[in-house]
Amino acid sequence: MPKYQEFYKGIAESRRVQSGFDDIQNGDIHSELGAFVCQKALVKKSGTTVDKPVYFGVAPSGDAYLFSQIDGAVFKRAISNGAYSTVRTGTNGAHRGARYYNGYIYYSMNDKLGRFDLATTWNDNFQNLTASYAHPLEAFDLILYIGNGRDIAQLDDAGVFTSSALDLPLEYHVTALAPLGDDLLTLANPGDYINQSAVFRWNTYGDSWSVKDAFYETNAYAFVDADNYKYVATNTGKIWFYNGNQLEIFTEIRNPAATAGHQLTTNFGGKSLIANGGKIYSIHRKNRNMPIAMACEFTCSAGADATIYAIQALGKNLLVSWGKLINGVMTYGVDEIGTTYAEAVVVTPRFKKGGAVMVYYEDLNGGTISIESKKDGEDEWTSHDVINDSDDYAFVRTVDGIIARSGCQARITVTPANPATTTPIIDLIEIN
């Protein structure tokens, strides 16, 4: 009689692993340990204004500036009313990154570093950068660092710009930057004929890095910030844990989308988030006694088959830039967290013998639960009639039994009331 209630263990490595779940979508598994609840839905808020994929640069006031990844367009989200507007079109083409530092929003382009004084002055030609590379930006300890091909450029608080404060080996180019304590971490990818990406750790003042660790990836694109820990995201879906000196595989996103970008990660509400395809996953544990788990927290409003280009925490909100081919036309938008809850899904591990599937709840809060099953070798899920025993035991169960001797899984879909400002609360899934 399998019982599944340790939702805080998140998505397991495969459907056969019992110490976790085969899939979790739009679910919050950490707010109340041992319960599964729906996460808030993402809602498109940019209307027709933002018609490009963007990078985010956030001013201390909370105003967010959105820099197009495909041309020179710049947009703004005003913190005062959440309204989106078009600001300008820059002179040097597509943007490669953006970051607030020391009174300015800095933004990188193909071969230029620009800056905006948060008032009226835009300087698209503030400094020169090495052409044809990604130019991620990171600010800490009073310095702005910029990826500059195989070099790290820097701008200090006195306005002194250095195009090569640190140079990497010839075969690498910088794809992401992140602080670790007082040090700077650099994520670098190799050229076409080298099959190892690498992380370089630098104290920010020495002539060279102090630690280098190469690992067998060729398209590592972002650091995932988890307090005093760092993870590395790669195009293969693998998530690598960095212990300060070396990387080791932590987990992986199954069936990953081919996506990349140094702003595809952020830290929101204390949770480390990483976007892949149209989904946003968390890597989190509520306290040190719990396992670090991965779960899909959000799906962008355009659906799981969309492509997310950047995510940015903004106080208690989350900004999500996405694109999707709709009716033959590429459509773009920016999502924010809505007021109602999304439909959530949890899929059990594979179990050998099946009977009735029972889903116990604390409160449905007007929502519903549907149950499906899939046997080994089947491609499609089978929907089951259910009854809701709301009086005696507070569970939803299948009417017909699931006959499975080789192996089977159950998929439980939790649909909040519409509109819902309170989520159903699921306590236990039981197979008997």
Side-chain angles (χ1 to χ4, degrees), residues 295-312:
C296 172
E297 296 259 348
F298 303 98
T299 300
C300 82
S301 63
D305 57 343
T307 298
I308 295 174
Y309 295 97
I311 58 177
Q312 174 67 55

Side-chain angles (χ1 to χ4, degrees), residues 267-330:
N267 194 290
F268 175 66
K271 295 179 182 179
S272 302
L273 301 184
I274 176 170
N276 184 273
K279 297 180 179 181
I280 299 175
Y281 295 83
S282 64
I283 300 175
H284 184 67
R285 61 179 175 181
K286 190 166 185 177
N287 60 58
R288 63 180 297 178
N289 299 314
M290 296 293 106
I292 300 173
M294 183 171 71
C296 172
E297 296 259 348
F298 303 98
T299 300
C300 82
S301 63
D305 57 343
T307 298
I308 295 174
Y309 295 97
I311 58 177
Q312 174 67 55
L314 185 68
K316 295 183 179 179
N317 206 345
L318 182 67
L319 305 183
V320 180
S321 169
W322 57 264
K324 183 178 179 179
L325 189 65
I326 301 176
N327 297 325
V329 177
M330 198 65 191

Side-chain angles (χ1 to χ4, degrees), residues 109-173:
M109 296 152 286
N110 177 45
D111 60 354
K112 299 292 182 182
L113 177 68
R115 72 177 187 178
F116 169 53
D117 67 357
L118 304 181
T120 60
T121 303
W122 295 82
N123 183 353
D124 290 341
N125 301 292
F126 175 66
Q127 297 291 343
N128 294 321
L129 297 174
T130 302
S132 303
Y133 289 102
H135 298 300
L137 296 89
E138 181 62 49
F140 82 105
D141 284 352
L142 303 179
I143 302 290
L144 176 68
Y145 299 96
I146 308 106
N148 195 22
R150 62 178 287 251
D151 298 308
I152 298 173
Q154 71 176 37
L155 179 70
D156 67 22
D157 58 345
V160 177
F161 178 78
T162 304
S163 63
S164 181
L166 177 73
D167 59 307
L168 305 182
L170 288 171
E171 65 269 26
Y172 288 104
H173 60 273

Side-chain angles (χ1 to χ4, degrees), residues 363-385:
D363 197 331
L364 286 181
N365 289 314
T368 59
I369 293 174
S370 62
I371 302 173
E372 300 165 285
S373 67
K374 184 167 67 174
K375 299 177 185 178
D376 287 354
E378 293 181 342
D379 295 326
E380 303 295 330
W381 292 90
T382 299
S383 179
H384 296 272
D385 293 332

